[in-house]
Coordinates of all heavy atoms in Angstrom, one line a residue:
M1072 N 52.9 14.2 28.1 CA 52.5 13.0 28.9 C 52.5 11.8 28.0 O 51.9 11.8 26.9 CB 51.1 13.3 29.5 CG 50.7 12.2 30.4 SD 49.1 12.5 31.3 CE 49.6 13.6 32.5
T1073 N 53.1 10.7 28.4 CA 53.2 9.5 27.6 C 51.8 8.7 27.7 O 51.0 9.0 28.5 CB 54.3 8.5 28.1 OG1 53.9 8.1 29.4 CG2 55.6 9.2 28.1
N1074 N 51.6 7.8 26.7 CA 50.4 6.9 26.8 C 50.3 6.2 28.1 O 49.3 6.1 28.7 CB 50.4 5.9 25.6 CG 50.2 6.6 24.3 OD1 49.8 7.8 24.2 ND2 50.2 5.8 23.2
H1075 N 51.4 5.7 28.6 CA 51.5 5.0 29.9 C 51.0 5.9 31.0 O 50.1 5.5 31.8 CB 52.9 4.5 30.2 CG 53.0 3.9 31.5 ND1 52.8 2.6 31.8 CD2 53.4 4.5 32.7 CE1 52.9 2.4 33.1 NE2 53.3 3.5 33.7
E1076 N 51.5 7.1 31.0 CA 51.1 8.1 32.1 C 49.6 8.4 32.0 O 48.9 8.5 33.0 CB 51.9 9.3 32.0 CG 53.4 9.1 32.4 CD 54.3 10.3 32.0 OE1 54.0 11.0 31.1 OE2 55.3 10.4 32.7
K1077 N 49.1 8.6 30.8 CA 47.7 8.9 30.6 C 46.8 7.7 31.1 O 45.8 7.9 31.8 CB 47.3 9.1 29.2 CG 47.9 10.5 28.7 CD 47.6 10.7 27.2 CE 48.3 12.0 26.7 NZ 48.1 12.1 25.3
I1078 N 47.1 6.5 30.8 CA 46.4 5.3 31.2 C 46.5 5.2 32.7 O 45.5 5.0 33.4 CB 46.8 4.0 30.5 CG1 46.5 4.2 29.0 CG2 46.2 2.8 31.1 CD1 47.1 3.1 28.1
R1079 N 47.7 5.3 33.2 CA 47.9 5.2 34.7 C 47.0 6.3 35.4 O 46.4 6.0 36.4 CB 49.4 5.4 35.0 CG 49.6 5.2 36.5 CD 51.1 5.5 36.9 NE 51.3 6.9 36.6 CZ 52.5 7.3 36.2 NH1 53.6 6.5 36.1 NH2 52.7 8.6 36.0
N1080 N 47.1 7.5 34.9 CA 46.3 8.6 35.5 C 44.8 8.3 35.5 O 44.1 8.6 36.4 CB 46.6 9.9 34.7 CG 46.1 11.1 35.4 OD1 46.2 11.2 36.7 ND2 45.5 12.0 34.7
A1081 N 44.3 7.7 34.4 CA 42.9 7.4 34.3 C 42.4 6.4 35.3 O 41.2 6.4 35.7 CB 42.5 7.0 32.9
F1082 N 43.3 5.6 35.8 CA 43.0 4.5 36.7 C 43.6 4.6 38.1 O 43.5 3.7 38.9 CB 43.3 3.1 36.1 CG 42.4 2.8 34.9 CD1 42.8 3.2 33.6 CD2 41.2 2.1 35.1 CE1 41.9 2.9 32.6 CE2 40.4 1.9 34.1 CZ 40.7 2.3 32.8
Q1083 N 44.2 5.7 38.4 CA 44.9 5.9 39.6 C 44.1 5.7 40.9 O 44.6 5.2 41.9 CB 45.6 7.2 39.7 CG 44.7 8.4 39.8 CD 45.5 9.7 39.8 OE1 46.7 9.7 39.8 NE2 44.8 10.8 39.6
N1084 N 42.8 5.9 40.8 CA 41.9 5.8 42.0 C 41.0 4.6 41.9 O 40.0 4.5 42.7 CB 41.1 7.1 42.2 CG 41.9 8.3 42.5 OD1 42.9 8.2 43.2 ND2 41.6 9.4 41.9
L1085 N 41.3 3.6 41.1 CA 40.5 2.5 40.9 C 41.1 1.2 41.2 O 40.8 0.1 40.6 CB 39.9 2.5 39.4 CG 39.1 3.7 39.0 CD1 38.9 3.8 37.6 CD2 37.8 3.8 39.8
R1086 N 42.1 1.2 42.1 CA 42.9 0.0 42.4 C 41.9 -1.2 42.8 O 40.9 -1.0 43.5 CB 43.8 0.3 43.5 CG 44.8 -0.8 43.8 CD 45.9 -0.4 44.6 NE 46.9 -1.5 44.6 CZ 47.6 -1.8 45.6 NH1 47.6 -1.1 46.7 NH2 48.4 -2.8 45.6
N1087 N 42.3 -2.4 42.4 CA 41.6 -3.6 42.7 C 40.2 -3.8 42.0 O 39.5 -4.7 42.3 CB 41.5 -3.8 44.2 CG 42.8 -4.0 44.9 OD1 43.7 -4.6 44.4 ND2 42.9 -3.3 46.0
R1088 N 39.9 -2.9 41.1 CA 38.6 -3.0 40.4 C 38.9 -3.7 39.0 O 40.0 -3.5 38.5 CB 38.0 -1.6 40.2 CG 37.6 -1.0 41.5 CD 36.6 0.0 41.4 NE 35.5 -0.2 40.5 CZ 34.8 0.8 40.0 NH1 35.0 2.1 40.3 NH2 33.8 0.6 39.1
T1089 N 38.0 -4.4 38.6 CA 38.2 -5.2 37.3 C 37.3 -4.6 36.2 O 36.2 -4.2 36.5 CB 37.8 -6.7 37.5 OG1 38.6 -7.2 38.6 CG2 38.0 -7.5 36.3
F1090 N 37.9 -4.5 35.0 CA 37.3 -3.9 33.9 C 37.5 -4.7 32.6 O 38.6 -5.3 32.5 CB 37.8 -2.4 33.6 CG 37.6 -1.5 34.7 CD1 38.6 -1.3 35.7 CD2 36.4 -0.8 34.8 CE1 38.4 -0.4 36.7 CE2 36.2 0.1 35.9 CZ 37.2 0.3 36.8
K1091 N 36.6 -4.6 31.7 CA 36.7 -5.2 30.4 C 37.5 -4.3 29.5 O 37.5 -3.0 29.8 CB 35.4 -5.5 29.8 CG 34.5 -6.5 30.5 CD 33.2 -6.7 29.8 CE 32.3 -7.7 30.5 NZ 31.0 -7.8 29.9
T1092 N 38.2 -4.8 28.5 CA 38.9 -3.9 27.6 C 38.1 -2.8 27.1 O 38.6 -1.6 27.1 CB 39.5 -4.8 26.4 OG1 40.3 -5.8 26.9 CG2 40.3 -3.9 25.4
E1093 N 36.9 -3.0 26.7 CA 36.0 -1.9 26.2 C 35.8 -0.8 27.2 O 35.8 0.4 26.9 CB 34.7 -2.5 25.7 CG 34.8 -3.5 24.6 CD 35.1 -4.9 25.1 OE1 35.0 -5.2 26.3 OE2 35.6 -5.7 24.3
E1094 N 35.7 -1.2 28.4 CA 35.5 -0.2 29.5 C 36.7 0.6 29.7 O 36.7 1.8 29.9 CB 35.1 -0.9 30.8 CG 33.8 -1.6 30.8 CD 33.5 -2.5 32.0 OE1 34.4 -3.2 32.4 OE2 32.4 -2.4 32.5
I1095 N 37.9 -0.1 29.7 CA 39.2 0.6 29.8 C 39.3 1.7 28.7 O 39.7 2.8 29.0 CB 40.3 -0.4 29.8 CG1 40.2 -1.2 31.1 CG2 41.7 0.3 29.7 CD1 41.2 -2.4 31.1
I1096 N 39.0 1.3 27.5 CA 39.2 2.2 26.3 C 38.2 3.4 26.5 O 38.6 4.5 26.4 CB 38.9 1.4 25.0 CG1 40.0 0.4 24.7 CG2 38.7 2.4 23.9 CD1 39.7 -0.5 23.6
D1097 N 37.0 3.1 26.9 CA 36.0 4.2 27.1 C 36.5 5.2 28.2 O 36.3 6.4 28.0 CB 34.6 3.6 27.5 CG 33.9 2.9 26.3 OD1 34.3 3.1 25.2 OD2 33.0 2.2 26.6
M1098 N 37.0 4.7 29.3 CA 37.4 5.5 30.4 C 38.6 6.4 30.0 O 38.6 7.6 30.3 CB 37.8 4.7 31.6 CG 36.5 4.0 32.2 SD 36.9 2.9 33.5 CE 37.2 4.0 34.8
V1099 N 39.5 5.8 29.3 CA 40.7 6.6 28.8 C 40.3 7.7 27.8 O 40.7 8.8 27.9 CB 41.8 5.7 28.3 CG1 42.9 6.5 27.7 CG2 42.4 4.8 29.3
M1100 N 39.4 7.3 26.9 CA 38.9 8.2 25.9 C 38.1 9.4 26.4 O 38.2 10.5 25.9 CB 38.1 7.5 24.8 CG 38.9 6.5 23.9 SD 40.2 7.3 23.0 CE 39.3 8.4 21.9
R1101 N 37.4 9.1 27.5 CA 36.6 10.2 28.2 C 37.6 11.2 28.8 O 37.3 12.4 28.8 CB 35.7 9.7 29.2 CG 34.3 9.3 28.6 CD 33.4 8.9 29.7 NE 33.9 7.5 30.1 CZ 33.4 6.7 31.0 NH1 32.4 7.1 31.7 NH2 33.9 5.5 31.2
M1102 N 38.6 10.7 29.4 CA 39.6 11.6 30.1 C 40.5 12.3 29.1 O 40.9 13.4 29.3 CB 40.4 10.8 31.1 CG 41.2 11.6 32.0 SD 41.9 10.6 33.3 CE 41.4 11.6 34.7
Y1103 N 40.9 11.5 28.0 CA 41.8 12.1 27.0 C 41.2 11.8 25.6 O 41.5 10.9 24.9 CB 43.2 11.3 27.1 CG 43.8 11.5 28.4 CD1 43.8 10.5 29.4 CD2 44.5 12.7 28.7 CE1 44.3 10.7 30.6 CE2 45.1 12.9 30.0 CZ 45.0 11.9 30.9 OH 45.6 12.1 32.1
P1104 N 40.3 12.7 25.2 CA 39.6 12.5 23.9 C 40.5 12.5 22.7 O 40.1 11.9 21.7 CB 38.6 13.7 23.8 CG 38.9 14.5 25.0 CD 39.8 13.9 25.9
N1105 N 41.6 13.0 22.7 CA 42.6 13.0 21.6 C 43.5 11.8 21.6 O 44.3 11.7 20.7 CB 43.4 14.3 21.6 CG 42.5 15.5 21.3 OD1 41.5 15.4 20.6 ND2 42.8 16.6 21.9
F1106 N 43.3 10.9 22.6 CA 44.1 9.7 22.6 C 43.8 8.8 21.5 O 42.6 8.6 21.1 CB 43.8 9.0 23.9 CG 44.9 8.0 24.4 CD1 45.7 8.3 25.5 CD2 45.1 6.8 23.8 CE1 46.6 7.4 26.0 CE2 46.0 5.9 24.2 CZ 46.8 6.2 25.3
A1107 N 44.8 8.2 20.8 CA 44.5 7.3 19.7 C 43.9 6.1 20.2 O 44.5 5.3 20.9 CB 45.8 7.0 18.9
K1108 N 42.6 5.8 19.9 CA 41.8 4.7 20.4 C 42.6 3.4 20.2 O 42.6 2.5 21.1 CB 40.5 4.7 19.8 CG 39.5 3.7 20.4 CD 38.1 3.8 19.8 CE 37.2 2.9 20.5 NZ 35.8 3.0 20.0
G1109 N 43.2 3.2 19.1 CA 43.9 2.0 18.8 C 45.2 1.8 19.6 O 45.8 0.7 19.6
S1110 N 45.6 2.8 20.3 CA 46.8 2.7 21.2 C 46.5 2.3 22.6 O 47.4 2.2 23.4 CB 47.5 4.1 21.1 OG 48.0 4.3 19.9
I1111 N 45.2 2.2 22.9 CA 44.8 1.8 24.3 C 44.8 0.3 24.3 O 43.8 -0.4 24.0 CB 43.5 2.4 24.7 CG1 43.6 3.9 24.5 CG2 43.2 2.0 26.1 CD1 42.2 4.6 24.7
L1112 N 45.9 -0.3 24.7 CA 46.0 -1.8 24.7 C 46.3 -2.2 26.2 O 47.5 -2.2 26.6 CB 47.1 -2.3 23.8 CG 46.9 -1.9 22.3 CD1 48.1 -2.2 21.5 CD2 45.7 -2.6 21.7
P1113 N 45.3 -2.6 27.0 CA 45.6 -2.9 28.4 C 46.7 -4.0 28.6 O 47.4 -3.9 29.5 CB 44.2 -3.4 28.9 CG 43.2 -2.8 28.0 CD 43.9 -2.7 26.6
N1114 N 46.7 -5.0 27.7 CA 47.7 -6.0 27.8 C 49.1 -5.5 27.7 O 50.0 -6.1 28.2 CB 47.4 -7.1 26.8 CG 48.1 -8.4 27.2 OD1 48.0 -8.8 28.4 ND2 48.7 -9.1 26.3
D1115 N 49.3 -4.4 27.0 CA 50.6 -3.8 26.9 C 51.1 -3.3 28.3 O 52.3 -3.0 28.5 CB 50.7 -2.6 25.9 CG 50.9 -3.1 24.5 OD1 51.1 -4.3 24.3 OD2 50.8 -2.2 23.6
H1116 N 50.2 -3.1 29.2 CA 50.5 -2.6 30.5 C 50.2 -3.6 31.6 O 49.9 -3.3 32.7 CB 49.7 -1.3 30.8 CG 50.0 -0.2 29.7 ND1 51.1 0.6 29.8 CD2 49.4 0.1 28.6 CE1 51.1 1.4 28.8 NE2 50.1 1.1 28.0
A1117 N 50.2 -4.9 31.2 CA 50.0 -6.0 32.1 C 51.1 -7.0 31.8 O 52.2 -6.9 32.3 CB 48.6 -6.6 31.8
E1118 N 50.7 -8.1 31.0 CA 51.7 -9.1 30.7 C 52.5 -8.8 29.5 O 53.6 -9.3 29.3 CB 51.0 -10.4 30.6 CG 50.3 -10.9 31.9 CD 49.3 -12.0 31.7 OE1 49.3 -12.6 30.6 OE2 48.7 -12.4 32.6
G1119 N 52.0 -8.0 28.6 CA 52.7 -7.6 27.4 C 52.3 -8.3 26.1 O 51.9 -9.5 26.1
N1120 N 52.3 -7.5 25.1 CA 52.1 -8.0 23.7 C 53.4 -8.0 23.0 O 54.4 -8.0 23.6 CB 51.1 -7.0 23.0 CG 49.6 -7.2 23.5 OD1 49.2 -8.3 23.8 ND2 48.9 -6.2 23.4
K1121 N 53.4 -8.0 21.7 CA 54.6 -7.9 20.9 C 55.5 -6.7 21.2 O 56.7 -6.8 21.3 CB 54.3 -8.0 19.4 CG 53.9 -9.3 18.9 CD 53.7 -9.3 17.4 CE 53.3 -10.7 17.0 NZ 53.1 -10.7 15.5
S1122 N 54.8 -5.6 21.4 CA 55.5 -4.3 21.7 C 55.0 -3.7 23.0 O 54.3 -2.7 23.0 CB 55.3 -3.3 20.6 OG 55.8 -3.8 19.4
P1123 N 55.3 -4.4 24.1 CA 54.7 -3.9 25.4 C 55.3 -2.7 25.9 O 56.4 -2.3 25.5 CB 55.0 -5.1 26.3 CG 56.2 -5.7 25.8 CD 56.1 -5.6 24.3
C1124 N 54.7 -2.0 26.8 CA 55.2 -0.9 27.6 C 56.3 -1.4 28.5 O 56.4 -2.6 28.8 CB 54.1 -0.3 28.4 SG 54.6 1.1 29.5
R1125 N 57.2 -0.5 28.8 CA 58.3 -0.9 29.7 C 57.8 -1.5 31.1 O 58.6 -2.2 31.7 CB 59.2 0.3 30.0 CG 58.5 1.4 30.6 CD 59.3 2.6 31.1 NE 58.5 3.7 31.5 CZ 57.7 3.8 32.6 NH1 57.6 2.7 33.3 NH2 57.0 4.8 32.8
C1126 N 56.6 -1.2 31.4 CA 56.0 -1.6 32.7 C 55.6 -3.1 32.7 O 55.4 -3.7 33.8 CB 54.9 -0.7 33.2 SG 53.3 -1.0 32.3
A1127 N 55.3 -3.6 31.5 CA 54.7 -5.0 31.4 C 55.6 -6.0 32.1 O 56.8 -6.0 32.0 CB 54.6 -5.3 29.9
G1128 N 54.9 -6.8 32.9 CA 55.6 -7.9 33.6 C 56.4 -7.4 34.9 O 57.0 -8.2 35.5
T1129 N 56.3 -6.1 35.2 CA 57.0 -5.6 36.4 C 56.0 -5.2 37.4 O 54.8 -5.2 37.2 CB 57.9 -4.3 36.0 OG1 57.0 -3.2 35.8 CG2 58.8 -4.6 34.8
E1130 N 56.5 -4.8 38.6 CA 55.7 -4.4 39.7 C 55.0 -3.0 39.4 O 54.1 -2.6 40.0 CB 56.5 -4.3 41.0 CG 56.8 -5.7 41.5 CD 55.6 -6.5 41.8 OE1 54.6 -6.0 42.4 OE2 55.6 -7.7 41.4
E1131 N 55.5 -2.3 38.3 CA 55.0 -1.0 37.9 C 53.9 -1.1 36.9 O 53.3 -0.1 36.5 CB 56.2 -0.2 37.3 CG 57.3 0.1 38.3 CD 56.9 0.8 39.5 OE1 56.1 1.7 39.5 OE2 57.3 0.3 40.6
R1132 N 53.5 -2.3 36.5 CA 52.4 -2.5 35.5 C 51.1 -1.9 36.1 O 50.9 -1.8 37.3 CB 52.3 -3.9 35.1 CG 51.8 -4.9 36.1 CD 51.9 -6.3 35.7 NE 51.5 -7.3 36.7 CZ 52.3 -7.8 37.6 NH1 53.5 -7.4 37.7 NH2 51.8 -8.6 38.5
I1133 N 50.3 -1.5 35.2 CA 49.0 -0.9 35.5 C 47.9 -1.9 35.8 O 47.1 -1.8 36.7 CB 48.5 0.1 34.4 CG1 49.6 1.2 34.2 CG2 47.2 0.7 34.8 CD1 49.3 2.1 33.0
F1134 N 47.9 -3.0 35.0 CA 46.9 -4.0 35.1 C 47.4 -5.4 35.3 O 48.6 -5.7 35.0 CB 46.1 -4.1 33.8 CG 45.5 -2.8 33.4 CD1 46.0 -2.0 32.3 CD2 44.4 -2.3 34.0 CE1 45.4 -0.8 31.9 CE2 43.8 -1.1 33.6 CZ 44.3 -0.3 32.6
D1135 N 46.6 -6.3 35.9 CA 46.8 -7.7 35.9 C 45.7 -8.3 35.1 O 44.6 -8.0 35.2 CB 46.7 -8.3 37.4 CG 47.9 -8.0 38.2 OD1 49.0 -7.9 37.7 OD2 47.7 -7.8 39.4
R1136 N 46.2 -9.2 34.1 CA 45.2 -9.8 33.3 C 44.5 -10.9 34.0 O 45.1 -11.8 34.6 CB 45.9 -10.4 32.0 CG 45.0 -11.0 31.0 CD 45.8 -11.4 29.8 NE 44.9 -12.0 28.8 CZ 44.8 -13.3 28.5 NH1 45.4 -14.1 29.3 NH2 44.0 -13.7 27.6
I1137 N 43.2 -10.9 34.0 CA 42.4 -11.9 34.7 C 42.0 -13.0 33.8 O 42.1 -14.2 34.1 CB 41.1 -11.3 35.3 CG1 41.4 -10.1 36.3 CG2 40.2 -12.3 36.0 CD1 42.4 -10.5 37.4
E1138 N 41.6 -12.6 32.6 CA 41.2 -13.5 31.5 C 41.2 -12.7 30.2 O 41.4 -11.5 30.3 CB 39.9 -14.2 31.7 CG 38.7 -13.2 31.9 CD 37.4 -13.9 32.3 OE1 37.4 -14.6 33.3 OE2 36.4 -13.7 31.6
R1139 N 41.0 -13.3 29.1 CA 41.0 -12.6 27.9 C 40.0 -11.4 27.9 O 38.8 -11.6 28.2 CB 40.6 -13.5 26.7 CG 40.6 -12.9 25.4 CD 40.3 -13.9 24.3 NE 40.2 -13.2 23.0 CZ 41.1 -13.3 22.1 NH1 42.2 -14.0 22.3 NH2 41.0 -12.7 21.0
G1140 N 40.5 -10.2 27.7 CA 39.6 -9.0 27.7 C 39.2 -8.5 29.0 O 38.3 -7.7 29.1
K1141 N 39.8 -9.0 30.1 CA 39.4 -8.6 31.5 C 40.6 -8.3 32.3 O 41.5 -9.2 32.4 CB 38.5 -9.6 32.1 CG 37.7 -9.2 33.2 CD 36.8 -10.3 33.7 CE 35.4 -9.8 33.9 NZ 34.5 -10.9 34.4
Y1142 N 40.7 -7.2 33.0 CA 41.9 -6.7 33.7 C 41.5 -6.1 35.0 O 40.5 -5.4 35.2 CB 42.7 -5.7 32.9 CG 43.1 -6.2 31.6 CD1 42.3 -6.2 30.5 CD2 44.4 -6.8 31.4 CE1 42.7 -6.7 29.3 CE2 44.8 -7.4 30.2 CZ 43.9 -7.3 29.1 OH 44.4 -7.8 27.9
T1143 N 42.4 -6.4 36.0 CA 42.2 -5.7 37.3 C 43.3 -4.7 37.5 O 44.5 -4.9 37.1 CB 42.4 -6.8 38.5 OG1 41.3 -7.7 38.4 CG2 42.3 -6.1 39.9
V1144 N 42.9 -3.5 38.0 CA 43.8 -2.4 38.2 C 44.7 -2.7 39.4 O 44.2 -3.1 40.4 CB 43.1 -1.1 38.4 CG1 44.1 0.1 38.6 CG2 42.1 -0.8 37.3
R1145 N 46.0 -2.5 39.2 CA 47.0 -2.8 40.3 C 47.1 -1.6 41.2 O 46.9 -0.5 40.9 CB 48.4 -3.1 39.7 CG 48.4 -4.4 39.0 CD 49.8 -4.7 38.5 NE 50.8 -4.6 39.4 CZ 51.2 -5.5 40.3 NH1 50.6 -6.6 40.3 NH2 52.2 -5.3 41.2

């Protein structure tokens, strides 16, 4: 399972809910304790960072960035 699939799976039933980055990290880590904590970057699955997921900026993205450190699940 890819990082994208793990993050998507952790939030699949939480559409339209807003979370802080720290909450997103905690939720993914609870579901996937072996997930590399430093690899949980919500912005990579929203608007994109330097090395975004293929979903960034598309209709397939997991999150919409609301403000710095705050994301809504799509």
Side-chain angles (χ1 to χ4, degrees):
M1072 185 177 280
T1073 66
N1074 286 355
H1075 173 86
E1076 291 168 333
K1077 290 176 182 177
I1078 294 169
R1079 183 185 63 210
N1080 190 43
F1082 289 90
Q1083 67 183 352
N1084 296 320
L1085 299 170
R1086 189 165 189 217
N1087 297 320
R1088 294 199 43 204
T1089 300
F1090 299 94
K1091 294 178 182 177
T1092 300
E1093 298 81 20
E1094 295 171 316
I1095 293 170
I1096 292 169
D1097 289 344
M1098 291 173 77
V1099 174
M1100 292 301 295
R1101 271 183 287 181
M1102 190 170 234
Y1103 300 100
N1105 294 325
F1106 200 109
K1108 190 174 182 177
S1110 295
I1111 304 171
L1112 302 169
N1114 200 41
D1115 275 354
H1116 302 276
E1118 297 168 5
N1120 285 327
K1121 287 184 179 179
S1122 299
C1124 177
R1125 60 172 170 68
C1126 74
T1129 72
E1130 290 300 312
E1131 301 301 315
R1132 66 191 180 273
I1133 300 171
F1134 303 107
D1135 283 327
R1136 183 175 182 260
I1137 302 304
E1138 60 188 51
R1139 183 181 175 102
K1141 200 176 224 182
Y1142 300 86
T1143 298
V1144 181
R1145 290 181 50 84

